[in-house]
């Protein structure tokens, strides 16, 4: 009990009291002597020596605070360098004894392993990137799992860099105007020179995609690309819908117009080309003209239309007329030259091009067109248990 009472006293009082007992060999017996001891304690407090334990505690707290501050600074620096999730940044720093350079290397290795594990997950979101020079237009589709990542600066930078690199793909199979589609097998091992704070240096397309996937924390993949070239006398026009910045979008429309002879009025051709590229995005044509609609597509549509017409219980002659009338409507829906112009629906595209020819004084024709949309043809999951990507 006496010890318990002593333990509750201020440590300075206990210390001086105990030292007096053991040094003199007897207990304090008077009130005066006890007051003298208390006076010693107060004097020591006024000079800052009363509580060595309290002073050591302050030292520990100061040391601990500085250590935590240094660690937070390293976490911030590594996250700025890599844009990796904070939990992964901290784990790598702890693993590498808070060595910043070693942790950065460890984080890249760790991210690439995780990226390879995520490569089987559905990536139906993403961006189209378009690049153009004097004679070519390149469009590539870079996919990811969420539109959150598609809006990320690093992801968009990579998509634009890939589109610019695609312009250097040789179109040896089609020296005149045409469309050259290409997939990962042609493009993945080509070199990229990246100049972004988070991804930089010379690397292959494949490694760059893996690097960005590691940073984003979800599946990122290059799906496909297209290269359109034009003849010497012609114009290439591109339009991007839902575009966060120049050269990027979710839907791309590209049109190649050819002009016969020497023509100096290319401004009018370029104006109509831009309108046609926008029309392609909105109207979704499948073929250039009705003559180019595949026989298989016509046979399938004719069979559907005939079945619908026969359900009306009309005569065979009436059924045939109904089928032919609806087939003409089908051509107006799927063939670009037969479609109503979205800017002026009183004319179709064929009439628009004829009017352009008269305006510039030379025959103009639509040589080719292309419409590409992010994720088209990819089966999307209605509900996914995958976590939302973590990114900068």
């Amino acid at each position: 009990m006496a010890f318990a009472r002593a333990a509750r006293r201020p440590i300075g009082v206990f210390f001086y009291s105990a030292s007096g007992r053991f040094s003199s060999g007897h207990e304090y017996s008077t009130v005066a002597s006890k007051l003298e001891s208390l006076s010693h304690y107060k004097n020591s407090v006024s000079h800052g020596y009363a509580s060595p334990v309290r002073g050591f505690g302050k030292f520990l707290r100061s040391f601990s605070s500085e250590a935590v501050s240094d660690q937070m600074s390293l976490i911030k620096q590594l996250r700025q360098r890599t844009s990796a999730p904070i939990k992964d940044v901290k784990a790598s720093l702890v693993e590498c004894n808070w060595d910043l350079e070693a942790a950065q290397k460890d984080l890249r290795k760790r991210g690439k392993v995780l990226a390879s594990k995520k490569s089987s997950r559905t990536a139906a979101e993403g961006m189209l990137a378009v690049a153009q020079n004097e004679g070519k237009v390149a469009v590539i589709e870079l996919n990811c799992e969420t539109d959150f990542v598609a809006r990320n600066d690093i992801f968009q930078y990579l998509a634009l860099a890939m589109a610019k690199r695609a312009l250097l793909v040789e179109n040896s199979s089609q020296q005149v105007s045409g469309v050259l589609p290409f997939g990962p097998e042609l493009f993945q091992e080509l070199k990229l020179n990246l100049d972004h704070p988070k991804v930089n240096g010379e690397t292959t397309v494949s490694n760059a995609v893996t690097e960005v996937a590691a940073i984003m924390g979800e599946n990122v993949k290059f799906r496909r690309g297209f290269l359109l070239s034009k003849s010497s006398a012609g114009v290439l026009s591109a339009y991007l819908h839902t575009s966060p910045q120049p050269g990027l979008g979710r839907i791309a429309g590209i049109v190649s117009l050819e002009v016969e002879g020497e023509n100096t009025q290319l401004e009018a051709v370029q104006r109509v080309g831009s309108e046609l590229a926008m029309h392609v995005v909105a109207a979704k044509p499948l073929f250039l003209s009705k003559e180019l609609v595949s026989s298989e597509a016509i046979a399938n549509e004719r069979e559907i239309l005939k079945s619908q017409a026969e359900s009306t219980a009309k005569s065979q002659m009436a059924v045939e007329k109904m089928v032919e009338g609806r087939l003409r409507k089908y051509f107006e829906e799927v063939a670009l030259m037969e479609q109503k112009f979205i800017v002026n629906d009183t004319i179709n595209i064929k009439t628009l091009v004829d009017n352009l020819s008269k305006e510039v004084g030379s025959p103009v024709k639509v040589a080719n067109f292309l419409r590409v949309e992010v994720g088209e043809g990819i089966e999307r999951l209605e509900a996914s248990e995958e976590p939302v990507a973590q990114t900068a």
Side-chain angles (χ1 to χ4, degrees):
M1 290 297 289
F3 179 78
R5 283 194 300 271
R8 288 195 293 270
R9 299 179 191 175
I11 190 166
V13 174
F14 180 80
F15 175 76
Y16 283 104
S17 176
S19 63
R21 292 186 184 190
F22 293 120
S23 62
S24 63
H26 59 81
E27 296 183 4
Y28 291 108
S29 56
T30 66
V31 175
S33 62
K34 290 184 180 180
L35 288 174
E36 184 181 357
S37 176
L38 184 58
S39 175
H40 281 299
Y41 171 67
K42 287 181 178 180
N43 290 335
S44 65
V45 169
S46 65
H47 289 88
Y49 300 116
S51 179
V53 174
R54 183 184 302 170
F56 185 65
K58 287 182 180 179
F59 170 74
L60 283 178
R61 285 195 296 274
S62 173
F63 179 80
S64 175
S65 177
E66 289 178 8
V68 169
S69 178
D70 289 343
Q71 291 176 2
M72 291 303 295
S73 176
L74 289 171
I75 290 172
K76 183 179 179 181
Q77 288 181 57
L78 187 54
R79 181 157 164 75
Q80 286 175 342
R81 287 190 186 186
T82 64
S83 290
I86 286 180
K87 64 176 183 178
D88 294 336
V89 167
K90 185 176 180 181
S92 288
L93 283 167
V94 170
E95 182 73 21
C96 299
N97 293 321
W98 299 92
D99 183 323
L100 188 63
E101 300 301 327
Q104 185 172 351
K105 291 180 181 178
D106 177 71
L107 197 58
R108 292 181 69 182
K109 292 177 184 177
R110 189 190 299 252
K112 287 181 179 180
V113 170
L114 291 174
S116 65
K117 290 180 180 179
K118 294 179 174 72
S119 62
S120 61
R121 302 195 316 208
T122 302
E125 295 294 334
M127 277 287 163
L128 299 175
V130 172
Q132 185 171 0
N133 61 19
E134 184 63 29
K136 296 178 185 176
V137 172
V139 55
I140 65 100
E141 180 179 357
L142 187 63
N143 294 124
C144 55
E145 296 176 54
T146 64
D147 62 352
F148 180 68
V149 165
R151 296 193 300 269
N152 183 273
D153 171 62
I154 303 171
F155 182 90
Q156 294 183 358
Y157 173 84
L158 176 61
L160 285 170
M162 290 170 63
K164 291 173 185 175
R165 180 61 183 85
L167 284 175
L168 303 179
V169 173
E170 291 297 326
N171 190 2
S172 57
S173 63
Q174 302 181 53
Q175 297 300 330
V176 294
S177 63
V179 179
L180 174 68
F182 58 91
E185 65 285 346
L186 175 67
F187 199 53
Q188 294 279 44
E189 297 309 313
L190 296 181
K191 295 289 185 179
L192 286 176
N193 282 301
L194 304 175
D195 185 22
H196 187 280
K198 307 294 174 62
V199 282
N200 51 69
E202 186 178 71
T203 184
T204 63
V205 171
S206 177
N207 286 341
V209 169
T210 302
E211 186 82 13
V212 171
I215 294 172
M216 297 297 101
E218 65 178 53
N219 186 16
V220 174
K221 62 191 296 185
F222 164 67
R223 182 187 178 199
R224 56 182 176 165
F226 300 91
L227 193 65
L228 277 76
S229 55
K230 70 177 183 67
S231 63
S232 56
V235 169
L236 283 168
S237 299
Y239 169 73
L240 281 161
H241 187 62
T242 317
S243 178
Q245 61 170 295
L248 293 172
R250 288 188 55 83
I251 310 174
I254 303 171
V255 173
S256 172
L257 293 177
E258 290 185 357
V259 186
E260 290 185 15
E262 296 294 328
N263 193 287
T264 58
Q265 300 187 53
L266 289 181
E267 284 188 13
V269 180
Q270 289 170 340
R271 184 194 74 243
V272 173
S274 297
E275 292 175 343
L276 277 174
M278 190 183 302
H279 171 93
V280 165
V281 167
K284 304 180 182 179
L286 300 177
F287 305 94
L288 179 57
S289 65
K290 66 179 180 181
E291 291 78 18
L292 295 177
V293 178
S294 66
S295 56
E296 183 182 356
I298 293 174
N300 288 339
E301 189 65 21
R302 190 184 292 276
E303 184 179 346
I304 293 170
L305 294 175
K306 186 176 181 180
S307 176
Q308 292 173 346
E310 287 176 344
S311 66
T312 62
K314 292 185 178 181
S315 66
Q316 188 62 33
M317 185 178 295
V319 166
E320 290 297 329
K321 287 183 178 180
M322 289 174 67
V323 169
E324 292 305 314
R326 291 178 180 178
L327 201 56
R328 284 194 296 273
K329 183 69 174 175
Y330 169 72
F331 288 141
E332 290 178 3
E333 292 174 355
V334 300
L336 175 62
M337 301 304 291
E338 305 299 320
Q339 289 180 332
K340 298 291 185 183
F341 186 32
I342 60 166
V343 177
N344 178 9
D345 61 7
T346 62
I347 60 173
N348 62 15
I349 301 302
K350 184 177 183 302
T351 303
L352 174 73
V353 175
D354 289 343
N355 292 343
L356 177 62
S357 299
K358 294 174 184 176
E359 181 181 346
V360 301
S362 298
V364 180
K365 72 172 184 177
V366 180
N368 248 309
F369 78 92
L370 178 67
R371 184 186 188 277
V372 188
E373 185 170 351
V374 168
E376 59 187 348
I378 299 176
E379 184 178 348
R380 298 168 186 260
L381 300 178
E382 292 299 324
S384 174
E385 295 180 0
E386 301 292 353
V388 176
Q390 299 179 66
T391 182

